[in-house]
Amino acid sequence: MKLIFNADDFGHGKGINLGIIDAYQNGVVRSTTIMAGKPGFYHAVGLAHQNPGLKIGVHLTLTSGKSVGRPYKTITDGEGNFFDYKEFGRAARSCEIDLAEVESEYEAQIQKVLAAGITPDHLDSHHHTHNLPGIVDIFLRLAKKYGAAVRIQDKALLCGEYAGIKTPDVFEDSFYDDVSAGGLIEILSSHSEGSVEVMCHPGYIDRALHTGSVYNISRAYELDILTGRELRDFIAGSGYTLSTFGDL
């Protein structure tokens, strides 16, 4: 069984970046997704080049911070700031956004990562907005174009021209519900075959994290669990192999 711990939000800021690297060097994380438009992007890029074993995808972002491409008419304000995820979700479901702008911004973010010397092995998104109607089609088109695996809610979409796109058999996001080693082990124990991605958010608490994310203090607890003996001992005694999206 393949077990992927993917740390979201690489590039958000130094506290999160350093927490992810700690979770890689001293814990179970082998995969992360980077945010091209966040202030900690280049700090994350430097850490990535120092830790080439950490596999990196793109955390495509439309609901936090500023756009990488330019200001848009329907997905940002006049200064290029994205709208919050509730407003964006409402607009997307109401067909009030220009999907061409989404594709342009997605491309700009992927190209920025490539220009930094990182070849992404998978794609996902902040607040899972890539699963929204219309946007998911753009997302899959780009995953195919760049040969990237994906995190996706509706696996039935991976057919026809998208049949070759890889995704884990199971996506687990319930670590949020019980941030404890026991809770995580219980989650993992419920799966007996295939591949499992566990979404995680390790980080050290700094000002950027405390003021820029409502999910802040729990990241330090996640880091402690992901680097702790209890989880590592469980994995060593289970049928799991720590893996990345490239292993799918």
Side-chain angles (χ1 to χ4, degrees):
M1 295 184 293
K2 297 174 181 177
L3 178 59
I4 302 169
F5 284 97
N6 188 82
D8 288 11
D9 301 344
F10 198 43
H12 182 280
K14 289 185 177 180
I16 289 178
N17 294 348
L18 293 172
I20 290 172
I21 294 300
D22 191 356
Y24 164 66
Q25 293 179 342
N26 301 301
V28 298
V29 167
R30 299 291 179 272
S31 175
T32 188
T33 33
I34 194 166
M35 306 176 84
K38 284 293 192 173
F41 174 75
Y42 288 107
H43 179 251
V45 167
L47 292 172
H49 289 307
Q50 294 167 21
N51 295 272
L54 178 63
K55 302 305 179 183
I56 298 175
V58 183
H59 201 49
L60 295 163
T61 303
L62 298 171
T63 55
S64 179
K66 296 178 75 73
S67 61
V68 168
R70 56 183 171 81
Y72 299 95
K73 292 182 178 180
T74 67
I75 64 172
T76 71
D77 64 17
E79 296 180 350
N81 298 300
F82 291 120
F83 304 112
D84 68 48
Y85 73 96
K86 290 183 179 179
E87 170 58 22
F88 181 84
R90 184 206 61 76
R93 293 184 181 92
S94 301
C95 300
E96 296 175 11
I97 63 172
D98 184 343
L99 293 175
E101 293 182 353
V102 172
E103 186 158 9
S104 177
E105 179 60 20
Y106 271 5
E107 279 277 15
Q109 292 180 22
I110 294 169
Q111 287 297 320
K112 184 175 178 179
V113 173
L114 288 167
I118 295 172
T119 301
D121 68 346
H122 66 293
L123 303 176
D124 60 26
S125 72
H126 197 49
H127 297 138
H128 309 298
T129 52
H130 70 276
N131 294 290
L132 290 165
I135 296 176
V136 70
D137 303 300
I138 296 167
F139 176 79
L140 290 175
R141 202 156 56 238
L142 292 175
K144 180 181 179 182
K145 175 180 177 178
Y146 290 102
V150 298
R151 172 195 294 168
I152 194 165
Q153 289 176 350
D154 187 0
K155 293 180 176 60
L157 294 173
L158 302 183
C159 64
E161 64 178 309
Y162 302 130
I165 297 174
K166 303 293 186 181
T167 193
D169 297 314
V170 176
F171 170 56
E172 278 289 358
D173 62 354
S174 49
F175 192 20
Y176 273 128
D177 300 330
D178 181 6
V179 183
S180 68
L184 180 54
I185 289 170
E186 184 176 351
I187 291 167
L188 297 177
S189 298
S190 68
H191 303 293
S192 58
E193 59 184 17
S195 54
V196 178
E197 178 196 357
V198 176
M199 180 181 69
C200 58
H201 297 82
Y204 289 109
I205 301 170
D206 60 2
R207 182 173 181 175
L209 172 55
H210 190 257
T211 60
S213 174
V214 295
Y215 191 73
N216 42 53
I217 295 175
S218 291
R219 293 181 192 252
Y221 287 88
E222 285 200 27
L223 177 58
D224 187 59
I225 294 162
L226 295 167
T227 57
R229 174 69 63 184
E230 187 175 356
L231 179 59
R232 285 181 291 165
D233 285 350
F234 167 78
I235 293 171
S238 71
Y240 281 116
T241 300
L242 290 177
S243 304
T244 68
F245 283 84
D247 299 321
L248 297 174

PDB file of all heavy atoms in Angstrom, residues 121-124 130 139-140 142-144 147-153 155 158 162 165-168 197 245 248:
ATOM      1  N   ASP A 121       5.108  17.425  -9.985  1.00  0.00           N
ATOM      2  CA  ASP A 121       4.648  16.070 -10.291  1.00  0.00           C
ATOM      3  C   ASP A 121       3.145  15.907 -10.092  1.00  0.00           C
ATOM      4  O   ASP A 121       2.575  14.883 -10.469  1.00  0.00           O
ATOM      5  CB  ASP A 121       5.409  15.030  -9.464  1.00  0.00           C
ATOM      6  CG  ASP A 121       5.103  15.093  -7.972  1.00  0.00           C
ATOM      7  OD1 ASP A 121       4.513  16.090  -7.519  1.00  0.00           O
ATOM      8  OD2 ASP A 121       5.462  14.132  -7.261  1.00  0.00           O
ATOM      9  N   HIS A 122       2.466  16.914  -9.511  1.00  0.00           N
ATOM     10  CA  HIS A 122       1.022  16.818  -9.338  1.00  0.00           C
ATOM     11  C   HIS A 122       0.420  18.207  -9.164  1.00  0.00           C
ATOM     12  O   HIS A 122       1.135  19.187  -8.930  1.00  0.00           O
ATOM     13  CB  HIS A 122       0.656  15.920  -8.157  1.00  0.00           C
ATOM     14  CG  HIS A 122       1.063  16.416  -6.807  1.00  0.00           C
ATOM     15  ND1 HIS A 122       2.384  16.529  -6.411  1.00  0.00           N
ATOM     16  CD2 HIS A 122       0.331  16.824  -5.736  1.00  0.00           C
ATOM     17  CE1 HIS A 122       2.443  16.961  -5.172  1.00  0.00           C
ATOM     18  NE2 HIS A 122       1.208  17.164  -4.746  1.00  0.00           N
ATOM     19  N   LEU A 123      -0.899  18.266  -9.300  1.00  0.00           N
ATOM     20  CA  LEU A 123      -1.640  19.508  -9.138  1.00  0.00           C
ATOM     21  C   LEU A 123      -2.786  19.291  -8.157  1.00  0.00           C
ATOM     22  O   LEU A 123      -3.431  18.244  -8.157  1.00  0.00           O
ATOM     23  CB  LEU A 123      -2.240  19.970 -10.478  1.00  0.00           C
ATOM     24  CG  LEU A 123      -1.304  20.184 -11.665  1.00  0.00           C
ATOM     25  CD1 LEU A 123      -2.125  20.541 -12.906  1.00  0.00           C
ATOM     26  CD2 LEU A 123      -0.287  21.274 -11.379  1.00  0.00           C
ATOM     27  N   ASP A 124      -3.016  20.299  -7.308  1.00  0.00           N
ATOM     28  CA  ASP A 124      -4.233  20.362  -6.506  1.00  0.00           C
ATOM     29  C   ASP A 124      -4.575  21.838  -6.358  1.00  0.00           C
ATOM     30  O   ASP A 124      -4.063  22.656  -7.132  1.00  0.00           O
ATOM     31  CB  ASP A 124      -4.099  19.619  -5.161  1.00  0.00           C
ATOM     32  CG  ASP A 124      -2.990  20.173  -4.267  1.00  0.00           C
ATOM     33  OD1 ASP A 124      -2.650  21.365  -4.385  1.00  0.00           O
ATOM     34  OD2 ASP A 124      -2.473  19.412  -3.432  1.00  0.00           O
ATOM     35  N   HIS A 130     -10.529  23.749  -7.628  1.00  0.00           N
ATOM     36  CA  HIS A 130     -10.398  23.132  -8.950  1.00  0.00           C
ATOM     37  C   HIS A 130     -11.517  22.135  -9.223  1.00  0.00           C
ATOM     38  O   HIS A 130     -11.704  21.711 -10.369  1.00  0.00           O
ATOM     39  CB  HIS A 130      -9.038  22.441  -9.103  1.00  0.00           C
ATOM     40  CG  HIS A 130      -8.875  21.207  -8.262  1.00  0.00           C
ATOM     41  ND1 HIS A 130      -8.495  21.244  -6.946  1.00  0.00           N
ATOM     42  CD2 HIS A 130      -9.054  19.893  -8.564  1.00  0.00           C
ATOM     43  CE1 HIS A 130      -8.429  20.003  -6.468  1.00  0.00           C
ATOM     44  NE2 HIS A 130      -8.763  19.160  -7.436  1.00  0.00           N
ATOM     45  N   PHE A 139      -8.587  22.416 -15.166  1.00  0.00           N
ATOM     46  CA  PHE A 139      -7.632  21.728 -14.311  1.00  0.00           C
ATOM     47  C   PHE A 139      -7.139  20.431 -14.957  1.00  0.00           C
ATOM     48  O   PHE A 139      -5.932  20.168 -15.017  1.00  0.00           O
ATOM     49  CB  PHE A 139      -8.301  21.446 -12.963  1.00  0.00           C
ATOM     50  CG  PHE A 139      -7.487  20.661 -11.998  1.00  0.00           C
ATOM     51  CD1 PHE A 139      -6.483  21.267 -11.250  1.00  0.00           C
ATOM     52  CD2 PHE A 139      -7.732  19.302 -11.802  1.00  0.00           C
ATOM     53  CE1 PHE A 139      -5.740  20.545 -10.337  1.00  0.00           C
ATOM     54  CE2 PHE A 139      -6.998  18.575 -10.894  1.00  0.00           C
ATOM     55  CZ  PHE A 139      -5.995  19.189 -10.155  1.00  0.00           C
ATOM     56  N   LEU A 140      -8.050  19.635 -15.454  1.00  0.00           N
ATOM     57  CA  LEU A 140      -7.673  18.356 -16.059  1.00  0.00           C
ATOM     58  C   LEU A 140      -6.915  18.567 -17.369  1.00  0.00           C
ATOM     59  O   LEU A 140      -5.976  17.822 -17.688  1.00  0.00           O
ATOM     60  CB  LEU A 140      -8.907  17.503 -16.282  1.00  0.00           C
ATOM     61  CG  LEU A 140      -9.560  16.953 -15.014  1.00  0.00           C
ATOM     62  CD1 LEU A 140     -10.855  16.225 -15.349  1.00  0.00           C
ATOM     63  CD2 LEU A 140      -8.605  16.030 -14.260  1.00  0.00           C
ATOM     64  N   LEU A 142      -4.907  20.981 -18.038  1.00  0.00           N
ATOM     65  CA  LEU A 142      -3.536  21.362 -17.700  1.00  0.00           C
ATOM     66  C   LEU A 142      -2.765  20.192 -17.087  1.00  0.00           C
ATOM     67  O   LEU A 142      -1.562  20.058 -17.311  1.00  0.00           O
ATOM     68  CB  LEU A 142      -3.546  22.563 -16.757  1.00  0.00           C
ATOM     69  CG  LEU A 142      -4.044  23.865 -17.384  1.00  0.00           C
ATOM     70  CD1 LEU A 142      -4.128  24.965 -16.338  1.00  0.00           C
ATOM     71  CD2 LEU A 142      -3.133  24.290 -18.532  1.00  0.00           C
ATOM     72  N   ALA A 143      -3.444  19.363 -16.310  1.00  0.00           N
ATOM     73  CA  ALA A 143      -2.779  18.175 -15.752  1.00  0.00           C
ATOM     74  C   ALA A 143      -2.282  17.280 -16.879  1.00  0.00           C
ATOM     75  O   ALA A 143      -1.158  16.755 -16.839  1.00  0.00           O
ATOM     76  CB  ALA A 143      -3.735  17.414 -14.839  1.00  0.00           C
ATOM     77  N   LYS A 144      -3.108  17.099 -17.904  1.00  0.00           N
ATOM     78  CA  LYS A 144      -2.694  16.297 -19.049  1.00  0.00           C
ATOM     79  C   LYS A 144      -1.541  16.976 -19.786  1.00  0.00           C
ATOM     80  O   LYS A 144      -0.552  16.322 -20.161  1.00  0.00           O
ATOM     81  CB  LYS A 144      -3.875  16.086 -19.992  1.00  0.00           C
ATOM     82  CG  LYS A 144      -3.527  15.249 -21.216  1.00  0.00           C
ATOM     83  CD  LYS A 144      -4.719  15.086 -22.137  1.00  0.00           C
ATOM     84  CE  LYS A 144      -4.338  14.260 -23.374  1.00  0.00           C
ATOM     85  NZ  LYS A 144      -5.484  14.130 -24.308  1.00  0.00           N
ATOM     86  N   GLY A 147       1.633  16.564 -17.738  1.00  0.00           N
ATOM     87  CA  GLY A 147       1.936  15.215 -17.292  1.00  0.00           C
ATOM     88  C   GLY A 147       1.916  15.061 -15.788  1.00  0.00           C
ATOM     89  O   GLY A 147       2.723  14.320 -15.217  1.00  0.00           O
ATOM     90  N   ALA A 148       0.993  15.753 -15.132  1.00  0.00           N
ATOM     91  CA  ALA A 148       0.937  15.783 -13.671  1.00  0.00           C
ATOM     92  C   ALA A 148      -0.182  14.892 -13.144  1.00  0.00           C
ATOM     93  O   ALA A 148      -1.248  14.798 -13.743  1.00  0.00           O
ATOM     94  CB  ALA A 148       0.721  17.210 -13.182  1.00  0.00           C
ATOM     95  N   ALA A 149       0.070  14.253 -12.019  1.00  0.00           N
ATOM     96  CA  ALA A 149      -0.985  13.560 -11.285  1.00  0.00           C
ATOM     97  C   ALA A 149      -1.871  14.612 -10.613  1.00  0.00           C
ATOM     98  O   ALA A 149      -1.532  15.802 -10.594  1.00  0.00           O
ATOM     99  CB  ALA A 149      -0.384  12.613 -10.261  1.00  0.00           C
ATOM    100  N   VAL A 150      -2.998  14.174 -10.046  1.00  0.00           N
ATOM    101  CA  VAL A 150      -3.935  15.133  -9.467  1.00  0.00           C
ATOM    102  C   VAL A 150      -4.540  14.619  -8.162  1.00  0.00           C
ATOM    103  O   VAL A 150      -4.569  13.416  -7.898  1.00  0.00           O
ATOM    104  CB  VAL A 150      -5.108  15.455 -10.432  1.00  0.00           C
ATOM    105  CG1 VAL A 150      -4.596  16.089 -11.712  1.00  0.00           C
ATOM    106  CG2 VAL A 150      -5.942  14.208 -10.732  1.00  0.00           C
ATOM    107  N   ARG A 151      -5.034  15.558  -7.392  1.00  0.00           N
ATOM    108  CA  ARG A 151      -5.999  15.310  -6.313  1.00  0.00           C
ATOM    109  C   ARG A 151      -7.347  15.755  -6.861  1.00  0.00           C
ATOM    110  O   ARG A 151      -7.488  16.902  -7.294  1.00  0.00           O
ATOM    111  CB  ARG A 151      -5.633  16.129  -5.078  1.00  0.00           C
ATOM    112  CG  ARG A 151      -6.678  16.095  -3.975  1.00  0.00           C
ATOM    113  CD  ARG A 151      -6.439  17.197  -2.949  1.00  0.00           C
ATOM    114  NE  ARG A 151      -5.198  16.991  -2.196  1.00  0.00           N
ATOM    115  CZ  ARG A 151      -4.645  17.905  -1.408  1.00  0.00           C
ATOM    116  NH1 ARG A 151      -5.222  19.106  -1.294  1.00  0.00           N
ATOM    117  NH2 ARG A 151      -3.533  17.656  -0.760  1.00  0.00           N
ATOM    118  N   ILE A 152      -8.329  14.868  -6.855  1.00  0.00           N
ATOM    119  CA  ILE A 152      -9.615  15.221  -7.452  1.00  0.00           C
ATOM    120  C   ILE A 152     -10.744  14.518  -6.718  1.00  0.00           C
ATOM    121  O   ILE A 152     -10.584  13.383  -6.243  1.00  0.00           O
ATOM    122  CB  ILE A 152      -9.623  14.871  -8.954  1.00  0.00           C
ATOM    123  CG1 ILE A 152     -10.803  15.530  -9.668  1.00  0.00           C
ATOM    124  CG2 ILE A 152      -9.585  13.362  -9.171  1.00  0.00           C
ATOM    125  CD1 ILE A 152     -10.685  15.525 -11.169  1.00  0.00           C
ATOM    126  N   GLN A 153     -11.879  15.193  -6.616  1.00  0.00           N
ATOM    127  CA  GLN A 153     -13.020  14.616  -5.911  1.00  0.00           C
ATOM    128  C   GLN A 153     -13.756  13.588  -6.758  1.00  0.00           C
ATOM    129  O   GLN A 153     -14.111  12.516  -6.284  1.00  0.00           O
ATOM    130  CB  GLN A 153     -13.985  15.732  -5.478  1.00  0.00           C
ATOM    131  CG  GLN A 153     -13.434  16.593  -4.352  1.00  0.00           C
ATOM    132  CD  GLN A 153     -14.354  17.757  -4.002  1.00  0.00           C
ATOM    133  OE1 GLN A 153     -15.319  18.043  -4.701  1.00  0.00           O
ATOM    134  NE2 GLN A 153     -14.046  18.447  -2.920  1.00  0.00           N
ATOM    135  N   LYS A 155     -13.427  11.042  -9.348  1.00  0.00           N
ATOM    136  CA  LYS A 155     -12.480  10.226 -10.107  1.00  0.00           C
ATOM    137  C   LYS A 155     -13.069   9.711 -11.410  1.00  0.00           C
ATOM    138  O   LYS A 155     -12.337   9.290 -12.305  1.00  0.00           O
ATOM    139  CB  LYS A 155     -11.986   9.066  -9.243  1.00  0.00           C
ATOM    140  CG  LYS A 155     -11.143   9.506  -8.057  1.00  0.00           C
ATOM    141  CD  LYS A 155     -10.674   8.323  -7.241  1.00  0.00           C
ATOM    142  CE  LYS A 155      -9.745   8.749  -6.113  1.00  0.00           C
ATOM    143  NZ  LYS A 155     -10.392   9.681  -5.159  1.00  0.00           N
ATOM    144  N   LEU A 158     -11.757  10.953 -14.765  1.00  0.00           N
ATOM    145  CA  LEU A 158     -10.481  10.490 -15.319  1.00  0.00           C
ATOM    146  C   LEU A 158     -10.740   9.350 -16.296  1.00  0.00           C
ATOM    147  O   LEU A 158     -10.368   8.191 -16.078  1.00  0.00           O
ATOM    148  CB  LEU A 158      -9.539  10.061 -14.193  1.00  0.00           C
ATOM    149  CG  LEU A 158      -9.222  11.148 -13.162  1.00  0.00           C
ATOM    150  CD1 LEU A 158      -8.234  10.633 -12.137  1.00  0.00           C
ATOM    151  CD2 LEU A 158      -8.695  12.404 -13.831  1.00  0.00           C
ATOM    152  N   TYR A 162      -8.663  11.862 -20.539  1.00  0.00           N
ATOM    153  CA  TYR A 162      -7.981  12.058 -19.259  1.00  0.00           C
ATOM    154  C   TYR A 162      -7.717  10.732 -18.533  1.00  0.00           C
ATOM    155  O   TYR A 162      -7.355  10.721 -17.362  1.00  0.00           O
ATOM    156  CB  TYR A 162      -8.817  12.965 -18.363  1.00  0.00           C
ATOM    157  CG  TYR A 162      -9.093  14.317 -18.982  1.00  0.00           C
ATOM    158  CD1 TYR A 162     -10.381  14.832 -19.039  1.00  0.00           C
ATOM    159  CD2 TYR A 162      -8.057  15.074 -19.529  1.00  0.00           C
ATOM    160  CE1 TYR A 162     -10.635  16.065 -19.615  1.00  0.00           C
ATOM    161  CE2 TYR A 162      -8.311  16.304 -20.119  1.00  0.00           C
ATOM    162  CZ  TYR A 162      -9.592  16.798 -20.155  1.00  0.00           C
ATOM    163  OH  TYR A 162      -9.835  18.025 -20.740  1.00  0.00           O
ATOM    164  N   ILE A 165      -4.372  10.175 -16.520  1.00  0.00           N
ATOM    165  CA  ILE A 165      -4.000  11.007 -15.371  1.00  0.00           C
ATOM    166  C   ILE A 165      -4.102  10.185 -14.090  1.00  0.00           C
ATOM    167  O   ILE A 165      -5.109   9.547 -13.834  1.00  0.00           O
ATOM    168  CB  ILE A 165      -4.905  12.253 -15.285  1.00  0.00           C
ATOM    169  CG1 ILE A 165      -4.714  13.122 -16.533  1.00  0.00           C
ATOM    170  CG2 ILE A 165      -4.594  13.063 -14.027  1.00  0.00           C
ATOM    171  CD1 ILE A 165      -5.667  14.305 -16.594  1.00  0.00           C
ATOM    172  N   LYS A 166      -3.055  10.222 -13.299  1.00  0.00           N
ATOM    173  CA  LYS A 166      -2.997   9.430 -12.067  1.00  0.00           C
ATOM    174  C   LYS A 166      -3.565  10.199 -10.881  1.00  0.00           C
ATOM    175  O   LYS A 166      -3.430  11.431 -10.790  1.00  0.00           O
ATOM    176  CB  LYS A 166      -1.556   9.033 -11.756  1.00  0.00           C
ATOM    177  CG  LYS A 166      -0.857   8.252 -12.865  1.00  0.00           C
ATOM    178  CD  LYS A 166      -1.468   6.887 -13.066  1.00  0.00           C
ATOM    179  CE  LYS A 166      -0.673   6.071 -14.082  1.00  0.00           C
ATOM    180  NZ  LYS A 166      -1.290   4.735 -14.313  1.00  0.00           N
ATOM    181  N   THR A 167      -4.175   9.471  -9.958  1.00  0.00           N
ATOM    182  CA  THR A 167      -4.650  10.032  -8.689  1.00  0.00           C
ATOM    183  C   THR A 167      -4.668   8.916  -7.663  1.00  0.00           C
ATOM    184  O   THR A 167      -4.850   7.741  -8.032  1.00  0.00           O
ATOM    185  CB  THR A 167      -6.055  10.654  -8.852  1.00  0.00           C
ATOM    186  OG1 THR A 167      -6.366  11.445  -7.697  1.00  0.00           O
ATOM    187  CG2 THR A 167      -7.128   9.596  -9.016  1.00  0.00           C
ATOM    188  N   PRO A 168      -4.467   9.210  -6.395  1.00  0.00           N
ATOM    189  CA  PRO A 168      -4.541   8.147  -5.380  1.00  0.00           C
ATOM    190  C   PRO A 168      -5.932   7.530  -5.327  1.00  0.00           C
ATOM    191  O   PRO A 168      -6.932   8.174  -5.666  1.00  0.00           O
ATOM    192  CB  PRO A 168      -4.217   8.890  -4.082  1.00  0.00           C
ATOM    193  CG  PRO A 168      -3.435  10.088  -4.510  1.00  0.00           C
ATOM    194  CD  PRO A 168      -4.028  10.493  -5.817  1.00  0.00           C
ATOM    195  N   GLU A 197      -3.790   9.234  -0.137  1.00  0.00           N
ATOM    196  CA  GLU A 197      -3.202  10.548   0.126  1.00  0.00           C
ATOM    197  C   GLU A 197      -3.818  11.114   1.392  1.00  0.00           C
ATOM    198  O   GLU A 197      -5.036  11.175   1.525  1.00  0.00           O
ATOM    199  CB  GLU A 197      -3.455  11.535  -1.010  1.00  0.00           C
ATOM    200  CG  GLU A 197      -2.865  12.913  -0.692  1.00  0.00           C
ATOM    201  CD  GLU A 197      -3.388  14.053  -1.559  1.00  0.00           C
ATOM    202  OE1 GLU A 197      -4.192  13.792  -2.488  1.00  0.00           O
ATOM    203  OE2 GLU A 197      -3.006  15.218  -1.285  1.00  0.00           O
ATOM    204  N   PHE A 245       3.405  11.175  -5.463  1.00  0.00           N
ATOM    205  CA  PHE A 245       2.524  11.049  -6.622  1.00  0.00           C
ATOM    206  C   PHE A 245       3.250  10.401  -7.799  1.00  0.00           C
ATOM    207  O   PHE A 245       2.632   9.759  -8.647  1.00  0.00           O
ATOM    208  CB  PHE A 245       1.974  12.420  -7.011  1.00  0.00           C
ATOM    209  CG  PHE A 245       0.875  12.894  -6.104  1.00  0.00           C
ATOM    210  CD1 PHE A 245       1.166  13.532  -4.908  1.00  0.00           C
ATOM    211  CD2 PHE A 245      -0.450  12.703  -6.456  1.00  0.00           C
ATOM    212  CE1 PHE A 245       0.147  13.959  -4.067  1.00  0.00           C
ATOM    213  CE2 PHE A 245      -1.472  13.141  -5.618  1.00  0.00           C
ATOM    214  CZ  PHE A 245      -1.164  13.757  -4.425  1.00  0.00           C
ATOM    215  N   LEU A 248       2.682   6.588  -8.229  1.00  0.00           N
ATOM    216  CA  LEU A 248       1.371   6.026  -8.563  1.00  0.00           C
ATOM    217  C   LEU A 248       1.397   5.257  -9.889  1.00  0.00           C
ATOM    218  O   LEU A 248       2.163   5.583 -10.783  1.00  0.00           O
ATOM    219  CB  LEU A 248       0.320   7.141  -8.631  1.00  0.00           C
ATOM    220  CG  LEU A 248       0.063   7.885  -7.313  1.00  0.00           C
ATOM    221  CD1 LEU A 248      -0.890   9.060  -7.561  1.00  0.00           C
ATOM    222  CD2 LEU A 248      -0.531   6.946  -6.273  1.00  0.00           C
TER     223      LEU A 248
END
